[in-house]
Amino acid sequence: MTTVLSSRLGQVARAGDGSADIVCDKQSVAGSVSQRACTFCGSRVVLYPIADALHLVHGPIGCAVYTWDIRGALSSGPELHRLSFSTDLRERHVVFGGEGRLEDSLMELIERHHPSAAFVYVTCIVGVIGDDVEAVSRKVSERTGIPVIPVQSEGFQGSKRQGYDAACEALLRLIGTGSTEGIGKHSVNLLGDFNLAGEIWIIQEYLKRMGVEVVANLTGDGRVADISRAHGAALNLVQCSGSTTQLAKDMQKKYGIPFQKVSYFGLDDMAGALYGIAEHFKDPEMLARTRDLVAEEISQVLPVVEACRKDLEGKRAAIYVGGAFKAISLVKALRLLGMKTALVGSQTGNAEDYRYLRDLCDPGTIIVDDSNPSELSTFLAEEKCDLFVGGVKERPLAYKLGVAFCDHNHERKLPLEGFLGMANFAREVHASVCSPVWQFAPRFQSANPVEV
Amino acid sequence: MSTTDLRAAGTTSSGAVSESTTNACRMCMPLGASLAFSGVEGTVPFLHGSQGCATYIRRYLISHFREPMDIASSSVGEDATVFGGESNLRQGIVNVTTVYKPKVIGVATTCLTETIGEDVGSMLRRAVDPDTGLAREFSVEPPILVHAPTPSYAGTHADGYQAAVASTVATIATEGETTDSITLLPGIVSPADIRHLREITDGFGLPTTIMPDYSERLDGVTVARYKKLPPGGTPVDQIRATGHARASVTIGGLTTPGVTIAGEVLAARFGVPHHQVPFPIGIRLTDAFCDLLTELSGNPMPEWLLAERGRLVDAYIDGHKYVAEKKAAVVGDEDLVVGLSAFLAEIGVTPVVIASGGRSGKLAERITACAPELEGRVEIMDDADFTMIQKAAEQAGIDFMVGNSKGYRTTRDLGVPLVRVGMPIHDRMGAQRVGHLGFRGTQELFDRIANALLEKQQNESPLAYSYM
Ligand code: SF4
């Protein structure tokens, strides 16, 4: 059976084969059963964690239902983001237009929940029926006195990536509207961290110990007021590069704020991120504090990693995740556990990400953009992988074949960021790869006959 | 309090009726269609629309069934939205055919393609036409192509499901010499339910085609070599024969006026006698179902089923005090909610709040027909969301909720147990194996409800008792 469609051949390569760049950042091939969602999804996942905003999905119910509480993004205060609001368009609105419905919905929900701002997500159908969402938003904003911000995220516009851009545009409309008074010179914004399982709190704690002030979280545990003064920070830290690099670039242009790309996954990348920050501020004391912090944290985590590594050494892993930057950190983290990455791919990587992956991975590693179950399941079996790291849609593929799995997705309940996160990751990988249940999986069954 | 009052209870001070939905209690039509197509042998569900819907629906169903689920999309983008999506649809069918070699592709439309006015019926006819077809353009022979129109704003997932089942039989069924088989058309039930339905009709000695049958495809075994098309599903030959079956039986099938259900299609086209029964939950409704099977087969209830019935009656009596005079909220698809309400009524629980996101307009009527003793004593809400449900449950005061995982927030707020049934069950293992139907399914539900109440009582008791 055909595994890779001819129209997708340019999106699959192997490290070390010296061929051309991977084709990426384009609409999924029709009928390819892509693992990737739409523009709306991209916007929704980025903005979702802003906890004191109203997130109203303007469209029929599906888009809102499937993104209800979609991320394990925790809030230290309000939890408005965890409700699923929809204008729930019906046939008559599609015929006669949904502007009235949108206006009434906004007024009603703002009165009921008193949010600090409202985001209106424009879905496929609204793009087609042509509601003037901008005008309705302006009107409601005037009446209620809070920012009401349209997010131009019609699903058909492009892929998830275009949704990131739409989200960044929406954020830019908030940034710069607040006062920057009282912000110190060692200050940062956290971009592209969504506080899954409280991860942002771990990072904030490190920064606090270093003496760095966090102005705004974009967007994990985010607040409208903080975001409105984000332009006062001295440095932007961009973690999920796919989703917020554009925002960082725009802020650099508009407000002169430099940015650094960081990753908080794995010991190397986590330590590298903190050192990079300390170096940026050119403060020797901060650098010394950072050194102490890294040494202390690593000494706590290493024993766990070493213990897991004993059993994991030499095992083979596959990675398929949303963002390519995350994939890069995962390759390194798995290496730390003694594992070899046989397959790595992402939904939204760009040419630069894939070039980096090709250099990073051992020769022969399969690198793939915008993959699908047919390809992934074939590679998984052919490459004899012992572990798959991915999200909800990848999990059953692994399990069906009797392959261990580690959830590295939006919904996870266990923090994987920070030094502590590496220990969690090691434990989770170990728990799955070393589970005795695999002996019953058909692919292993004949290998381990028990003598009775 | 009426539904309108409840809507108003959460509305603006101007008193306007609520416009928005918060925490919906239903899913969209294409999801239901994808589920139904999954139950047809060798079928790949295919959504004609933009990429997101297919991915979201896969993700949602995968979290419930914990099985791989491949749903293709024509990935309609900006250009196709303006100029029409026919070439995307054709290319998509070619690619799916090449990779999966399916027997059937079940094409469901989404809100996007419905609204831009795609004439998918004609497109599919062109795709199989010898002159304009895929065979000529791409040298790819397409499989059977079924089309279900499922604009998400027109109905719920349950409506989409019925639409897909109806389109499948309408496309595939043929005329022929009448067989002695019946066609059983269940609504949205669990794989365990489907397996149990099969046992029951076997028990009556009735050759039966269950359509759709995703009991194996969405509750399969671990494999050594991955099969892109999971085995199982209603065989295409059997679907062909539904056009000349002896009778068809729809289980559930409350529908919106827009959807003609499969049993009605078979009756209108081929004159196959059509029977319709509520979901067999509880003794009364299971008896009614069994009576119909006796009528169709000429055989009495098999011994083993009679024994299950006996044990259920015994359990009802053993446990009746623990559930007596309790108040419940029941939430889910309309068909399920009708069956559950009738069951709760017969064990002495009052389902004070009966809610569904469905909007057939027939919910109250069906409940009164199945459980006349509830008339006037309960709040029946259709087109409900969880904001309304929570408000109603708070007002009525409930002891527990029977419903899907999305009710968890409400039950957590109210401090009462949630007995998980229906779909989606995203926060527990075993959604595929939750039995709802027949005496056995009812037995499971009864035990789970009684035990949930006992557990709550035990946890809240100052005595650490372990004997009752
Ligand atoms: S593709 Fe369109 S309809 Fe589907 S989820 Fe995305 S925005 Fe919603």
Side-chain angles (χ1 to χ4, degrees), chain B residues 58-272:
Chain B
R58 281 176 67 206
R59 206 197 74 117
Y60 211 76
L61 289 173
I62 283 173
S63 324
H64 177 81
F65 290 103
R66 297 173 191 272
E67 287 286 333
M69 164 156 322
D70 292 3
I71 301 173
S73 163
S74 52
S75 300
V76 167
E78 193 118 52
D79 289 353
T81 303
V82 179
F83 301 113
E86 182 161 6
S87 73
N88 280 60
L89 180 63
R90 290 167 73 92
Q91 187 65 58
I93 292 171
V94 167
N95 285 342
V96 168
T97 307
T98 313
V99 172
Y100 290 84
K101 313 240 181 304
K103 290 204 168 92
V104 179
I105 297 179
V107 181
T109 40
T110 66
C111 53
L112 175 66
T113 46
E114 283 285 333
T115 307
I116 60 177
E118 297 271 275
D119 183 357
V120 175
S122 310
M123 291 178 188
L124 295 187
R125 273 192 295 281
R126 280 196 286 278
V128 294
D129 187 281
D131 294 324
T132 55
L134 306 179
R136 169 155 291 191
E137 191 185 347
F138 299 93
S139 311
V140 166
E141 199 61 59
I144 301 170
L145 302 175
V146 175
H147 167 228
T150 50
S152 29
Y153 43 76
T156 70
H157 59 288
D159 303 320
Y161 179 94
Q162 295 294 352
V165 178
S167 300
T168 308
V169 299
T171 310
I172 298 178
T174 57
E175 242 165 333
E177 202 167 310
T178 308
T179 65
D180 44 333
S181 173
I182 65 158
T183 308
L184 194 59
L185 301 153
I188 298 178
V189 299
S190 74
D193 286 330
I194 295 178
R195 287 193 286 269
H196 189 43
L197 286 173
R198 163 86 55 210
E199 269 179 290
I200 294 177
T201 55
D202 280 355
F204 279 90
L206 259 180
T208 303
T209 295
I210 297 184
M211 165 66 199
D213 178 357
Y214 42 77
S215 61
E216 199 183 339
R217 294 190 93 192
L218 295 182
D219 194 11
V221 300
T222 303
V223 293
R225 285 214 64 83
Y226 190 74
K227 296 193 185 70
K228 288 176 191 165
L229 283 176
T234 314
V236 172
D237 285 344
Q238 286 188 23
I239 300 176
R240 246 175 229 126
T242 59
H244 43 282
R246 192 143 65 81
S248 62
V249 176
T250 299
I251 300 183
L254 280 182
T255 48
T256 52
V259 178
T260 306
I261 60 175
E264 291 165 354
V265 170
L266 292 170
R269 282 224 195 151
F270 305 106
V272 178

Side-chain angles (χ1 to χ4, degrees), chain A residues 249-269:
Chain A
K249 285 186 179 156
D250 290 338
M251 286 177 77
Q252 185 168 37
K253 223 177 19 244
K254 204 162 166 192
Y255 304 107
I257 307 175
F259 70 90
Q260 275 182 6
K261 286 198 189 182
V262 292
S263 165
Y264 310 134
F265 290 111
L267 300 184
D268 289 352
D269 285 354

Side-chain angles (χ1 to χ4, degrees), chain A residues 38 40 63 123-124 155, chain B residues 50 52-53 56 111:
Chain A
C38 58
F40 159 70
C63 317
T123 60
C124 288
Chain B
S50 49
C53 311
Y56 275 141
C111 53

